[in-house]
């Protein structure tokens, strides 16, 4: 057992040495509770983390002693939640213990009213990075420490602290003064507090994206602040402007100034300012996922899903209770909605079987892992100065269970994707033209919002070009006449005609062989899939390029 670091637990983390394991505990994973933490050989690290957490609460005055309380208000229990923080490469950065309230015991109307947290649309983050790369902006990252505790509790509420938190005293009831993590309204109260402080600094909240703020200065120019709960991205035309905003934020909150953004909500951000190139990837998340499911040494595959492959519900060969299918698909969903549009269709299909997964579904999910095994350094790549461009496609009746069609669209900016989707349509289409028309309406809604978002970021453009590969659909978009085959189409989908006529979107014909959105509606053969990946702006991140790394050569075979 390692013992030299017991007096200084942080020294072990800095050295990169793993504490010796005993009694079969997996020290690569955080403990489930304090009892387990005490039984492990890395307990000094967790003990130090608990000590720091309690000290922070006492300094802030999160709770206070009370002689009596309203009997109508039942005390909510609290506990410590443990986590091992990693960077985007998967390297350990710190051990974290957070005191949280068991908010599921709160009563609506008595303990809380509204719930919300400042989380932007994923496309907003990517759009900001794409614009910053093209314009050469400075992009910095600020992390607010114990963010929720900066907000005052809005309801009379009491908590029961874990044993030993108050100088060895047994668990006692305390009056909660600040928005403790775990309470239902904590995220909303923090969002309100942050909004007040940013507006006092002179920042203006965007009407398009409530988590985006803009600050003007006569000398430093424009600075944008993107809020993701307690992580803030500060992007501006000048370093002085970014520094001014960071100084204002640090004067109001206790923050970690991370400097130029390197990691953001699990994404690895890499940038080459000279060539105005920026990449977003998730290599660390992918490797952790492969290891968690025992696929880190498997044989890679060329595609996320084999061409012509179909999955359906048979009710046979069900996975046993306690299977990890939902966990796996949930992790893949995160990847498919952040930096990997190339797996969006495959993951969308897998997510249809969450309620009663079968053996075939699990094999297909592991097939996606085999593909990721060989492409862990791929991500979205922004380079150049290209305007917003949209592509939309549909696969008619591709769902064999309900015969519903699949919508696929992708919007690119400066060479990389900022928004994409692969979704099963809510109704059954009776023709390919109808399926494409429904998809066009869905993509039009996204195009209108992206147009407003980019305008807020200072990127003004005209009508959004929209590539479509179905001539019948284009006829429906450009002509209001109804026929016997289309008169049943819901009026909600006809909005695409109005925006086409107004010049907000511009649909044009694009042959199927050149359609980038094709890979978002159906599984493609390897050559077509590779072309799709390149067309939507998925490529190697700058880390792989700098190291001269190549994608692991995909081979045939099983793990």
């Amino acid at each position: 057992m390692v013992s030299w670091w017991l007096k200084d637990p942080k020294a072990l983390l800095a050295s990169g040495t793993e504490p010796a394991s005993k009694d079969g505990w997996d020290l690569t994973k955080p403990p489930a509770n304090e009892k387990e933490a005490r039984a492990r050989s890395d307990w000094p690290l967790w003990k130090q983390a608990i000590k720091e957490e309690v000290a922070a609460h006492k300094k802030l005055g999160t709770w206070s002693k009370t002689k009596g309380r309203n009997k109508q208000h039942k005390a909510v229990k609290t506990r410590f939640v443990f986590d091992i923080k990693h960077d985007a490469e998967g390297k350990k950065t710190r051990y974290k213990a957070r005191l949280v309230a068991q908010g599921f015991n709160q009563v609506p109307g008595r303990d809380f009213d509204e719930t919300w947290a400042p989380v932007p649309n994923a496309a907003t983050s990517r759009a900001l990075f794409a614009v910053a790369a093209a314009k050469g902006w400075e992009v910095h990252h600020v992390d607010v420490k114990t963010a929720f505790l900066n907000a005052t509790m809005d309801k009379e509420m009491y908590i029961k602290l874990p044993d030993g938190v108050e100088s060895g005293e047994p668990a006692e009831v305390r009056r909660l003064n600040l928005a403790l993590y775990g309470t239902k309204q904590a995220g909303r109260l923090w969002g309100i507090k942050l909004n007040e402080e940013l507006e006092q600094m002179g920042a203006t909240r965007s009407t398009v994206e409530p988590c985006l703020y803009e600050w003007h200065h006569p000398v430093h120019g424009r600075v944008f602040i993107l809020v993701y709960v307690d992580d803030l991205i500060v992007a501006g035309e000048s370093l002085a402007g970014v520094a001014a905003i960071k100084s204002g934020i640090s004067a109001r909150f206790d923050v970690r100034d991370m400097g130029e953004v390197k990691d953001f909500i699990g994404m690895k951000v890499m940038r080459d300012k000279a060539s105005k190139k920026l990449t977003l990837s998730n290599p660390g998340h992918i490797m952790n996922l492969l290891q968690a499911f025992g696929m880190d040494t498997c044989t890679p595959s060329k595609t996320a899903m084999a061409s012509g492959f179909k999955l359906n519900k048979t009710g046979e060969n069900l996975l046993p209770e306690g299977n990890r299918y939902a966990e796996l698909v949930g992790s893949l969903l995160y990847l498919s909605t952040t930096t990997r549009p190339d797996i969006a269709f495959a993951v969308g299909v897998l997510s249809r079987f969450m309620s009663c997964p079968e053996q075939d579904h699990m094999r297909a999910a592991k097939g996606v892992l085999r593909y990721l095994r060989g492409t862990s350094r791929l991500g979205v790549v922004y380079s150049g100065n290209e305007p917003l461009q949209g592509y939309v496609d549909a696969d008619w009746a591709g769902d064999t269970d309900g015969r519903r069609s699949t919508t696929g669209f992708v919007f690119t900016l400066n060479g990389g994707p900022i928004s994409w989707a692969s979704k099963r349509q809510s109704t059954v289409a009776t023709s390919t033209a109808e399926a494409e028309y429904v998809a066009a309406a869905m993509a039009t809604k996204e195009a209108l919002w992206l147009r407003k978002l980019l305008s807020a970021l200072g990127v003004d453009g005209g009508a959004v070009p929209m590539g479509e590969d179905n001539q019948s659909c284009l006829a429906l978009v450009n002509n209001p006449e109804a026929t016997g085959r289309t008169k049943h189409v819901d009026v909600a989908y006809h909005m695409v005609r109005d925006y086409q006529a107004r010049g907000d979107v511009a649909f044009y014909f694009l042959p199927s062989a050149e359609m980038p959105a094709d890979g978002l509606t159906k599984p493609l053969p390897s050559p077509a899939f590779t072309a799709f990946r390149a067309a939507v702006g998925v490529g190697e991140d700058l880390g792989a390029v700098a190291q001269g790394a190549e994608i692991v050569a995909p081979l045939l075979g099983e793990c």
Side-chain angles (χ1 to χ4, degrees):
M1 176 179 175
V2 179
S3 57
W4 57 268
W5 50 273
L6 292 178
K7 293 183 179 180
D8 185 13
K10 289 186 177 181
L12 179 71
L13 189 64
S15 70
T17 306
E18 288 286 348
S21 177
K22 68 175 183 179
D23 300 328
W25 295 114
D26 184 358
L27 301 187
T28 63
K29 297 180 180 179
N33 49 53
E34 187 175 347
K35 181 179 179 180
E36 180 182 324
R38 289 177 177 274
R40 294 168 36 146
S41 59
D42 59 354
W43 163 241
L45 290 167
W46 298 115
K47 183 180 179 180
Q48 179 67 24
I50 291 174
K51 183 179 178 180
E52 293 174 357
E53 176 74 358
V54 172
H57 282 294
K58 290 182 176 180
K59 180 181 178 181
L60 292 168
T62 305
W63 56 77
S64 57
K65 291 186 177 181
T66 178
K67 294 181 179 179
R69 61 185 173 91
N70 190 333
K71 293 182 179 180
Q72 294 181 349
H73 293 268
K74 185 178 179 180
V76 174
K77 291 182 179 180
T78 59
R79 63 184 291 261
F80 286 106
V81 174
F82 303 96
D83 191 23
I84 301 175
K85 298 292 185 179
H86 300 82
D87 59 20
E89 290 283 1
K91 181 182 177 182
K92 288 182 182 179
T93 56
R94 63 191 176 106
Y95 285 68
K96 175 68 179 175
R98 189 182 295 283
L99 183 67
V100 301
Q102 296 180 347
F104 53 82
N105 289 323
Q106 288 182 262
V107 179
R110 188 192 71 187
D111 298 326
F112 71 96
D113 292 320
E114 304 276 343
T115 61
W116 179 79
V119 177
N121 189 296
T124 304
S125 306
R126 292 188 292 262
L128 180 61
F129 282 123
V131 173
K135 294 191 174 185
W137 289 351
E138 297 289 337
V139 186
H140 285 224
H141 181 198
V142 174
D143 176 30
V144 182
K145 299 180 181 179
T146 57
F148 289 5
L149 300 178
N150 289 284
T152 305
M153 203 65 182
D154 62 340
K155 294 282 187 178
E156 181 181 354
M157 189 172 165
Y158 299 87
I159 58 173
K160 189 174 183 180
L161 297 173
D163 290 341
V165 169
E166 288 284 14
S167 303
E169 296 179 14
E172 292 187 14
V173 173
R174 296 288 187 265
R175 172 71 182 267
L176 185 59
N177 302 322
L178 304 178
L180 183 65
Y181 285 83
T183 54
K184 295 285 188 180
Q185 67 269 52
R188 177 175 177 270
L189 295 176
W190 159 243
I192 293 172
K193 174 67 174 178
L194 180 61
N195 179 65
E196 292 173 352
E197 296 294 340
L198 291 178
E199 288 184 344
Q200 287 180 10
M201 290 171 55
T204 304
R205 195 175 203 167
S206 170
T207 57
V208 181
E209 170 59 78
C211 295
L212 181 67
Y213 293 81
E214 184 178 355
W215 181 74
H216 283 273
H217 191 275
V219 177
H220 304 318
R222 307 169 78 183
V223 178
F224 293 94
I225 308 165
L226 180 67
V227 179
Y228 194 105
V229 191
D230 56 356
D231 287 290
L232 280 62
I233 291 295
V234 184
E237 300 169 357
S238 68
L239 183 59
V242 170
I245 287 294
K246 292 198 298 181
S247 177
I249 294 172
S250 61
R252 289 164 169 80
F253 306 110
D254 186 12
V255 304
R256 294 187 187 87
D257 185 353
M258 315 296 282
E260 289 193 21
V261 61
K262 298 291 190 299
D263 305 294
F264 181 61
I265 57 170
M267 296 187 297
K268 187 170 186 63
V269 184
M270 307 190 75
R271 187 177 182 187
D272 183 352
K273 289 186 178 180
S275 62
K276 293 186 176 182
K277 187 174 184 179
L278 185 146
T279 62
L280 303 175
S281 58
N282 292 99
H285 179 82
I286 291 174
M287 295 311 299
N288 289 337
L289 186 59
L290 291 170
Q291 291 172 4
F293 286 86
M295 301 286 287
D296 50 322
T297 58
C298 70
T299 304
S301 62
K302 295 182 179 180
T303 61
M305 187 170 281
S307 177
F309 185 71
K310 297 287 185 181
L311 278 178
N312 49 33
K313 296 179 182 178
T314 65
E316 301 175 355
N317 299 318
L318 298 178
L319 291 175
E321 290 291 333
N323 67 79
R324 303 175 66 190
Y325 183 81
E327 177 188 351
L328 174 54
V329 175
S331 297
L332 293 175
L333 272 170
Y334 165 74
L335 283 173
S336 70
T337 56
T338 51
T339 62
R340 297 300 297 264
D342 51 329
I343 66 171
F345 171 75
V347 177
V349 172
L350 294 170
S351 64
R352 300 171 188 173
F353 309 102
M354 300 285 268
S355 59
C356 50
E358 303 170 13
Q359 298 287 351
D360 287 344
H361 305 152
M362 192 63 169
R363 276 192 287 270
K366 289 191 174 182
V368 178
L369 289 180
R370 282 196 290 274
Y371 169 68
L372 292 174
R373 164 75 174 89
T375 59
S376 62
R377 296 310 297 245
L378 291 189
V380 295
V381 181
Y382 301 109
S383 179
N385 193 16
E386 301 171 11
L388 182 65
Q389 168 71 56
Y391 305 96
V392 58
D393 195 16
D395 178 41
W396 180 52
D399 176 23
T400 56
D401 290 320
R403 306 311 297 178
R404 284 187 281 173
S405 305
T406 303
T407 292
F409 65 75
V410 59
F411 290 88
T412 62
L413 178 71
N414 300 333
I418 60 171
S419 178
W420 61 84
S422 177
K423 296 182 179 179
R424 185 172 53 178
Q425 295 179 1
S426 58
T427 58
V428 176
T430 58
S431 65
T432 55
E434 182 182 344
E436 297 276 358
Y437 193 51
V438 171
M442 186 183 296
T444 297
K445 295 176 186 178
E446 187 73 5
L448 296 174
W449 177 76
L450 288 173
R451 194 165 175 244
K452 293 178 182 178
L453 175 64
L454 292 180
S455 179
L457 292 173
V459 180
D460 295 320
V464 180
M466 302 282 288
E468 167 61 55
D469 65 355
N470 186 278
Q471 293 283 17
S472 297
C473 173
L474 292 175
L476 287 172
V477 170
N478 293 308
N479 300 287
E481 294 81 6
T483 67
R485 294 186 177 184
T486 60
K487 63 184 181 182
H488 67 284
V489 176
D490 196 312
V491 66
Y493 301 123
H494 292 310
M495 48 82 69
V496 65
R497 292 174 175 169
D498 292 337
Y499 290 109
Q500 171 86 348
R502 286 170 49 177
D504 292 327
V505 294
F507 280 85
Y508 66 95
F509 178 72
L510 184 68
S512 297
E514 303 172 16
M515 171 55 70
D518 199 34
L520 295 169
T521 63
K522 63 178 74 69
L524 301 175
S526 180
F529 184 79
T530 303
F532 149 71
R533 201 168 60 192
V536 299
V538 173
E540 289 185 331
D541 66 19
L542 288 172
V545 174
Q547 297 169 9
E550 297 181 356
I551 301 176
V552 178
L555 302 172
L556 298 178
E558 298 291 332
C559 295

